[in-house]
Amino acid sequence: QVQLVESGGGLVQAGGSLRLSCAASGSIFSINAMGWYRQAPGKQRELVAGITNSGFTEYADSVKGRFRISRDNAKNTVYLQMNSLKPEDTAVYYCAASRLSTVRVPGANYWGQGTQVTVSS
């Protein structure tokens, strides 16, 4: 059992910044990758960023250069620093964790409850 607790969502103006945090607890030694998905109204859930235990990172093309994923292994916490936010970034953001080396297999992921990010124009 893995629990994921998210924080840091909210309302921000276009061009602003937010930092999301996700703390994992439970059977955390089984986790080999963590990351963030998002889902906007009427859209499919999509991968935003992922990071492995070895430090390998990946990003959606739409956020490259603006978002940065990082981790604090001592706290089993992953962060998503979001800069230069756009209205198109508005979505519910979900933390994900996997015993696989990637979070790109949604059916294998543990999930947080989601946190709303709203970017106003």
Side-chain angles (χ1 to χ4, degrees):
Q1 186 181 30
V2 174
Q3 297 83 42
L4 303 173
V5 179
E6 299 143 322
S7 62
L11 174 65
V12 66
Q13 290 178 268
S17 298
L18 284 174
R19 188 177 78 157
L20 306 183
S21 300
C22 174
S25 61
S27 189
I28 58 176
F29 293 109
S30 67
I31 298 300
N32 290 301
M34 296 184 70
W36 295 91
Y37 280 71
R38 68 186 181 187
Q39 188 166 26
K43 301 284 199 299
Q44 299 266 35
R45 188 175 297 191
E46 65 172 347
L47 178 68
V48 177
I51 187 167
T52 69
N53 285 0
S54 65
F56 181 84
T57 59
E58 60 181 326
Y59 298 91
D61 287 343
S62 59
V63 307
K64 282 199 301 186
R66 300 189 296 120
F67 292 10
R68 180 176 176 267
I69 189 169
S70 62
R71 64 179 184 174
D72 183 337
N73 287 335
K75 299 179 181 178
N76 280 104
T77 299
V78 66
Y79 304 93
L80 186 67
Q81 179 65 48
M82 305 186 293
N83 298 323
S84 302
L85 282 161
K86 305 174 180 179
E88 308 92 88
D89 297 317
T90 295
V92 178
Y93 284 69
Y94 297 91
C95 183
S98 181
R99 64 187 183 277
L100 306 178
S101 60
T102 177
V103 293
R104 282 191 164 274
V105 183
N109 286 338
Y110 300 96
W111 297 98
Q113 293 301 120
T115 184
Q116 178 71 45
V117 171
T118 303
V119 184
S120 62
S121 60

